[in-house]
Amino acid sequence: MLAHHFSVDVEEYFQVSAFEGRVPRARWDGLETRVAAAVERLLELLAVHGARATFFVLGWVAERQPRLVRAIVEAGHEVASHGWDHARVAVQGRSAFRSAARRSRQVLEDAASAPVVGFRAPSFSIQPGAEWALDVLIEEGYRYDSSLFPVRRPGYGYANGRREPHWIERPAGRIPEVPPATLRRWGLNLPAAGGAYFRLLPYALVRAALREHERRGVPGTFYVHPWELDPRQPRLAVPWWTRVRHYGGLARTEGRLRRLLAEFRFRPVLETVAELP
Ligand SMILES: [Zn+2]
């Protein structure tokens, strides 16, 4: 049976991009940390089903909780970078992006005592026009990227990207791209990789996407955040549309993950990358 990718973007409940204007970075250290308990829950679920995953961890989290990073590696999973402090790529610009990519990798490798070669930009923010970020990743020694979400939405995604793992040629060299899963319907790529779509839309959407990937003989990439398994996280005062996207269906996540892990086989992204022709 073909193995898909189960990926986790390891960040605190207050670090998501939708809260950016509400929770300034200067306040982060004063807020209750909840990420470790949720990651441990995920490690248990993965162990029960014999699944191995890739954890894209923020450098900010790794610096404060190196033992959590070590626990992920010791459980047999891959640790990769989710940048430093969840700043979007276009907002950062080239030199801040480079230092986030470099610093997060160093901190993660120190904590993991293992090489870190994968990258996922916060909020999949390598969008058309920001491809220079791939050059920076190549120059900084990363061996794959998982940031180009081939969906068309305002301010989000990489609309004309390919839907399966592939090589991207850049001035700095070439790098494998492993995009989050989509489902092709009505001439559109529907986001079917996880996150709010997994909690708010029927489970059948993600299942159909992974089955479609299997028919094409390519792995699909699923993602989830630790805070999605934490229905009791402190609620922040945000507009109703953000409330729905962030808090909707949190109580459903764990049951759906059990179903997903029972139905499909998963392995770390790096193992697919190593076999890419
Ligand atoms: Zn994130």
Side-chain angles (χ1 to χ4, degrees):
M1 190 170 47
L2 188 139
H4 298 282
H5 307 133
F6 189 104
S7 65
V8 184
D9 291 356
V10 180
E11 61 202 35
E12 295 278 4
Y13 60 96
F14 50 80
Q15 292 174 320
V16 300
S17 294
F19 294 166
E20 241 175 347
R22 309 255 159 184
V23 191
R25 287 184 174 76
R27 276 185 50 209
W28 283 3
D29 269 315
L31 296 170
E32 180 192 352
T33 171
R34 296 180 67 88
V35 69
V39 167
E40 278 154 21
R41 190 80 206 96
L42 273 167
L43 292 176
E44 283 169 27
L45 284 174
L46 292 165
V48 165
H49 292 92
R52 286 179 311 118
T54 297
F55 288 72
F56 294 94
V57 184
L58 279 184
W60 190 95
V61 170
E63 186 180 51
R64 285 156 182 79
Q65 310 206 37
R67 282 169 55 201
L68 184 63
V69 176
R70 188 73 206 140
I72 293 168
V73 172
E74 277 170 0
H77 306 290
E78 178 193 2
V79 165
S81 171
H82 193 36
W84 187 263
D85 64 354
H86 221 270
R88 290 172 196 250
V89 171
V91 176
Q92 281 182 307
R94 200 171 178 127
S95 79
F97 176 76
R98 183 185 300 278
S99 64
R102 185 179 297 176
R103 190 173 165 212
S104 63
R105 186 169 174 218
Q106 269 162 8
V107 167
L108 286 164
E109 288 189 339
D110 285 350
S113 305
V116 167
V117 298
F119 186 85
R120 173 173 292 154
S123 302
F124 304 106
S125 60
I126 301 183
Q127 290 181 259
E131 291 87 350
W132 51 262
L134 298 171
D135 292 302
V136 173
L137 292 176
I138 295 166
E139 288 159 4
E140 291 299 323
Y142 282 92
R143 282 180 49 208
Y144 74 86
D145 174 71
S146 181
S147 310
L148 308 189
F149 204 164
V151 296
R152 189 180 299 277
R153 265 183 40 195
Y156 188 85
Y158 197 84
N160 297 316
R162 285 175 58 184
R163 301 178 53 233
E164 58 286 315
H166 60 282
W167 286 92
I168 294 186
E169 305 287 341
R170 294 292 310 163
R174 62 206 297 255
I175 188 167
E177 173 60 36
V178 182
T182 48
L183 180 62
R184 188 86 185 149
R185 285 283 187 279
W186 316 294
L188 293 169
N189 294 343
L190 306 179
Y197 312 107
F198 183 63
R199 287 178 283 121
L200 300 176
L201 300 175
Y203 170 78
L205 175 74
V206 170
R207 183 173 51 201
L210 294 186
R211 292 283 179 236
E212 188 224 53
H213 280 70
E214 286 172 2
R215 285 194 293 277
R216 295 191 297 140
V218 297
T221 300
F222 173 83
Y223 70 90
V224 68
H225 304 87
W227 52 263
E228 293 185 277
L229 282 94
D230 184 12
R232 284 191 288 277
Q233 65 193 268
R235 302 288 158 128
L236 303 167
V238 290
W240 67 267
W241 59 87
T242 300
R243 209 153 58 227
V244 170
R245 271 199 64 200
H246 188 84
Y247 299 123
L250 291 180
R252 273 200 292 270
T253 308
E254 192 169 320
R256 286 189 175 190
L257 286 180
R258 287 178 191 285
R259 214 171 146 185
L260 187 75
L261 289 165
E263 273 188 85
F264 296 94
R265 213 160 74 73
F266 294 96
R267 68 175 184 175
V269 176
L270 187 57
E271 292 181 16
T272 293
V273 166
E275 293 171 0
L276 212 56

